[in-house]
Amino acid sequence: MNQQGVRWTSEQVLALAPDDASRKAGNRLGMAGPWSEAGTSGTGAVWGLCKGSGSRPYQTVVDTTGPAYKCSCPSRKFPCKHALGLLLLWAGDEKAVQAGSAPDWAEEWLEERRKRAVEKEGSDGDAGAPARSADPEAAKRRAERRAGRITAGATELEQRLGDLLRGGLAAAEQSGYGLWEETAARMVDAQAPGLAARVRELGAIPGSGAGWPVRLLEECALIHLLDSAWLGIERLPHPLAAAVRTRVGLTSPAEGPPVRDAWMVLAQYDTSDGKITTRRTWMHGRSSGRTAVILSFGAAGRSPQLALPVGLTIDAELTPHAGAGQLRADMGDQFGTPVPIASPPPGGPVATALDSYGRALRDDPWLDAWPVTLTAVIPVPAGDGWQLADADGESALPLTPGTLGRPGLWKLVALSGGGPVTVFGECGHEGFTPLAAWSDDAAETVPLV
């Protein structure tokens, strides 16, 4: 494939926007009017001058192999509206952004990126040398103190759960959210943020609608199971023990050899707890067959900086984290220019997806959802909701309640037109959340989030 001719779609560009305001502002700049000296190279660089309110135009350059951005505007957002506008122009108007040589101001930044990449590759060559680290005994003592605090927190949480069950689940609705917020704060003090998050979710269940006592009992059982696993962690197999550490809030390291592959960027979406924004990027390795999720974080209302173009394939190295059923990985070096996904990842019918989710639960009982690809399924209405049914009518998966009010559902229905499609998403106890889809007669990835 001629990589120089590969241009992203407008949807892939807008998926990189840090927020809705940037998306709208970038759209307004995605036309030739404000731009001059725009160009692109066969190595993935795009540049241009954008007329602003001042006398001097903003110098904007993008390295699409990162992607990475540089703009002379004062914005602290990445990418800024000028970078988004330039990429939209590049994606939609080949005459306005033609192939050529980068100007000096753009080439200087691109050359610095190339130098840093070479230096990093050289430093990675010394990875076999013994690492100089801080006092290992001091680190061990810190880890032991934290483990002791988590154990105390887990013991206290067990007592709170026991009190709840002895008093009856009906009393949980009367005690209000304050009790659970206080308990969550105690878990934070115990340096167990994973337990704190689960306690906060527990506090939101009472009075949340029909059947809330059942949901409350289920969540109490999962928390009890996690507490018990932590309190007896020395008796667990190593992979399961690693999963328990992750669930209580101890981060697992990225370890083992990096996996280089043609990684397909399948989906990317943000969630927020009010303090931290978490960005999840789902990827699938064409040769390895591995599915991985990259997590990046932004604090104080700022979006995470890592943003990858959905629907493209990136030649890159990913380093997996430890833990049973652990899919998390860290992005490493990237090579070459991203190209469009040639075909969706392999998948199967609904029964295969449920089997995959069941096996994942065996390794991590606290798992909320598992990535699967459904092939030859048709979106059909079912009562007050929707479901994805096998084309042969054998089985069906309901869509999660949160999916029903999103535009992605109607994009999926329109793409299907009553016929079978391939859908990638997350399969969990509430149903299936579609994240990307492909029609049978086109390889183009359609983002659903």
Side-chain angles (χ1 to χ4, degrees):
M1 180 179 292
N2 179 7
Q3 293 184 353
Q4 181 171 327
V6 174
R7 301 201 181 205
W8 302 352
T9 66
S10 59
E11 279 192 328
Q12 288 169 339
V13 173
L14 292 174
L16 303 176
D19 51 42
D20 286 337
S22 298
R23 191 174 293 110
K24 293 176 182 176
N27 257 323
R28 290 193 292 269
L29 293 174
M31 57 188 68
W35 293 96
S36 61
E37 300 183 28
T40 183
S41 73
T43 59
V46 186
W47 60 84
L49 300 175
C50 185
K51 181 176 175 55
S53 56
S55 58
R56 300 183 62 181
Y58 295 120
Q59 298 175 337
T60 308
V61 57
V62 179
D63 181 358
T64 61
T65 64
Y69 322 92
K70 172 70 174 179
C71 186
S72 59
C73 77
S75 175
R76 297 177 62 189
K77 295 181 180 180
F78 296 95
C80 67
K81 62 181 182 181
H82 305 102
L84 290 171
L86 176 62
L87 287 175
L88 287 171
L89 182 67
W90 168 68
D93 192 341
E94 291 191 22
K95 292 183 178 179
V97 187
Q98 297 186 8
S101 299
D104 291 343
W105 56 267
E107 182 59 32
E108 181 180 350
W109 179 73
L110 293 167
E111 180 61 26
E112 282 297 318
R113 281 185 54 78
R114 287 192 286 267
K115 286 181 179 178
R116 288 197 297 270
V118 171
E119 290 172 357
K120 183 178 186 301
E121 185 176 351
S123 64
D124 288 346
D126 298 330
R132 298 179 62 185
S133 59
D135 182 357
E137 287 299 322
K140 181 180 179 181
R141 288 194 295 271
R142 286 194 298 271
E144 290 174 347
R145 286 196 296 270
R146 183 175 183 184
R149 284 191 286 268
I150 294 174
T151 297
T155 302
E156 180 180 346
L157 183 53
E158 281 293 281
Q159 294 172 350
R160 296 283 178 104
L161 292 175
D163 292 342
L164 170 65
L165 295 178
R166 280 190 293 272
L169 296 180
E173 191 173 18
Q174 301 170 1
S175 60
Y177 189 77
L179 172 64
W180 300 110
E181 185 58 37
E182 177 194 347
T183 305
R186 297 282 293 171
M187 296 305 104
V188 172
D189 292 341
Q191 295 185 291
L195 288 177
R198 286 194 168 270
V199 169
R200 289 193 179 96
E201 292 176 2
L202 197 69
I205 295 176
S208 61
W212 69 261
V214 174
R215 296 193 297 275
L216 180 63
L217 185 60
E218 290 173 346
E219 188 60 28
C220 285
L222 285 173
I223 294 177
H224 169 67
L225 182 65
L226 183 55
D227 283 341
S228 301
W230 172 263
L231 295 175
I233 196 168
E234 68 281 352
R235 298 190 298 272
L236 299 179
H238 175 72
L240 183 56
V244 171
R245 292 188 184 94
T246 299
R247 291 300 177 184
V248 299
L250 293 173
T251 56
S252 63
E255 60 184 19
V259 179
R260 181 174 177 178
D261 204 339
W263 291 97
M264 296 182 282
V265 185
L266 301 178
Q268 183 171 271
Y269 65 93
D270 295 351
T271 56
S272 177
D273 63 1
K275 296 180 180 179
I276 296 177
T277 298
T278 302
R279 174 165 295 162
R280 288 173 172 80
T281 304
W282 284 109
M283 308 183 76
H284 181 83
R286 175 65 70 185
S287 299
S288 65
R290 300 179 65 154
T291 299
V293 62
I294 298 175
L295 301 183
S296 52
F297 305 92
R302 301 186 64 179
S303 295
Q305 289 197 16
L306 179 64
L308 298 176
V310 174
L312 296 186
T313 299
I314 299 174
D315 182 4
E317 290 182 341
L318 266 60
T319 303
H321 284 236
Q326 180 69 266
L327 294 177
R328 185 180 175 184
D330 287 352
M331 173 66 76
D333 293 336
Q334 299 180 41
F335 312 91
T337 305
V339 299
I341 290 176
S343 61
V350 168
T352 301
L354 292 176
D355 286 344
S356 177
Y357 178 47
R359 289 193 299 271
L361 280 175
R362 177 193 60 195
D363 296 330
D364 183 353
W366 307 277
L367 190 68
D368 291 323
W370 187 254
V372 297
T373 300
L374 300 173
T375 58
V377 291
I378 302 173
V380 294
D384 295 332
W386 283 76
Q387 61 184 9
L388 290 176
D390 288 332
D392 60 10
E394 187 70 22
S395 303
L397 259 178
L399 298 185
T400 52
T403 302
L404 304 181
R406 297 173 185 166
L409 171 60
W410 308 115
K411 290 171 65 177
L412 176 60
V413 172
L415 179 70
S416 166
V421 290
T422 298
V423 187
F424 170 79
E426 297 172 352
C427 180
H429 61 278
E430 291 188 337
F432 183 82
T433 300
L435 301 177
W438 299 262
S439 66
D440 280 359
D441 55 359
E444 181 180 346
T445 304
V446 177
L448 302 178
V449 290

